[in-house]
């Protein structure tokens, strides 16, 4: 199909398709003349994945490019794919500053890891992101989020365990890197969405019990 | 202080400060001549908050602007601030398409809400985001994330309950809108970070038990 049909069938504008081609998110079509290309069903499917990662998963273009490169590389294993997807999900975090707040945050996170008996390496992307969030909260003078650290950790312990079990239990290699990547990125978006619903529900329940607004 | 000193003390470039001023994220300084302004400690503090929301929280500029408008408006209550922050956190989600996948996703989410006894209105931003994520997974042909729906929901139930309790129990009005906003935005970033750590730990534990990689 021509780019116009690819646009019509995917619901993605021609301008966006051209942008994704330039950015390497979508592989080039087969050239049929010097300035015309033909696209196949695999382009349609890839476009769906690109939009899912960008619009629903909230990845940056650079993050999506890294993730798609892992999906396309047959030598990439599940463990590496997990790391790439985690890094992309947390891509917005700035390099950690080496101030007092960072030193304190590193201790807070190291204590949490020890307390929960987590097996986590120093360069886990989540660990660096956690240090940065805790240090940011310290600089802002906020404390209530840090007070919820163990609540969050316990919730994510159950989630991480079931997520890893869901990947391992399937076992098959076929399409599994894409499944892991989609699971990390869209799973994160789903968790954020459910958190918003659970907050409203908890708030409504408290009001219903005669609590404060 | 002049903009150069504001830049030096905040670690934010002059170009970025000017961008935030143009975008309304930072209030204008006091004009001391037609093309020079003076900035105070409140600008330094606001810059820290802006960077936290954008870099660590991952908000878009438009999302940060909405959130900061709520922080600055003394008539905004906690409940409204919660909604604004939730919407900003999920700002990337596209309008829901009205296709078969969306219809199925709406039923999946409505069933989840009924099963868990959640009190959630139709226009909760998380509810719309959840429908969109589930519909996107449906279109991609993925099923493993939807299989984790109740795992995610149970985890977020505990989180939402404790988060709302942490806000309500404090009670004081002073600075509380900012606290709620920071809690929603940075709490979400912290949850994502801890999920990455918990996944690695669960994976390492399974390998240690002689499980598959």
């Amino acid at each position: 199909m021509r780019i116009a049909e690819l646009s019509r069938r995917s619901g993605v504008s021609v301008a966006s398709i051209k942008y994704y081609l330039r950015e390497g998110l979508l592989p080039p079509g087969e050239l049929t003349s010097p300035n015309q290309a033909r696209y196949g069903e695999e382009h349609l499917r890839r476009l769906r994945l690109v939009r899912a990662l960008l619009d629903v998963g909230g990845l940056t273009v650079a993050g999506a490019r890294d993730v798609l490169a892992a999906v396309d590389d047959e030598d990439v294993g599940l463990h590496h794919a997990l790391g790439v997807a985690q890094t992309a999900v947390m891509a917005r975090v700035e390099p950690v500053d080496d101030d007092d707040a960072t030193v304190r945050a590193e201790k807070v996170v190291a204590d949490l890891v020890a307390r929960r008996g987590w097996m986590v390496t120093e360069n886990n992307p989540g660990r660096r992101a956690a240090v940065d969030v805790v240090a940011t909260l310290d600089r802002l003078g906020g404390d209530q989020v840090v007070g919820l650290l163990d609540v969050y950790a316990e919730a994510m312990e159950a989630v991480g365990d079931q997520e890893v079990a869901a990947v391992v239990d399937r076992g098959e290699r076929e399409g599994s890197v894409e499944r892991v990547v989609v699971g990390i990125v869209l799973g994160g978006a789903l968790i954020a969405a459910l958190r918003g619903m659970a907050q409203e529900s908890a708030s409504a329940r408290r009001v219903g019990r005669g609590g404060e607004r």
Side-chain angles (χ1 to χ4, degrees), chain A residues 8-57:
Chain A
R8 191 181 51 72
R9 285 187 57 194
S10 63
V12 178
S13 70
V14 169
S16 291
I17 293 174
K18 287 183 172 172
Y19 175 64
Y20 299 151
L21 287 165
R22 273 200 309 278
E23 292 288 336
L25 302 184
L26 193 65
E30 185 198 344
L31 278 185
T32 54
S33 79
N35 52 12
Q36 269 209 325
R38 191 187 301 277
Y39 300 90
E41 292 299 319
E42 72 279 13
H43 288 92
L44 199 58
R45 188 175 149 65
R46 171 55 65 100
L47 261 184
R48 237 178 251 133
L49 181 57
V50 168
R51 291 304 282 248
L53 296 175
L54 295 178
D55 296 342
V56 186

Side-chain angles (χ1 to χ4, degrees), chain A residues 159-178:
Chain A
V159 162
D161 206 54
Q162 292 295 314
E163 288 181 320
V164 169
V167 171
V168 172
D169 293 351
R170 297 278 291 238
E172 83 252 30
R173 177 71 183 71
E174 183 71 37
S176 52
V177 168
E178 185 176 319

Side-chain angles (χ1 to χ4, degrees), chain A residues 70 72-78 80 173:
Chain A
D72 291 338
D73 184 348
E74 291 185 6
D75 293 334
V76 162
L78 284 187
H80 182 72
R173 177 71 183 71

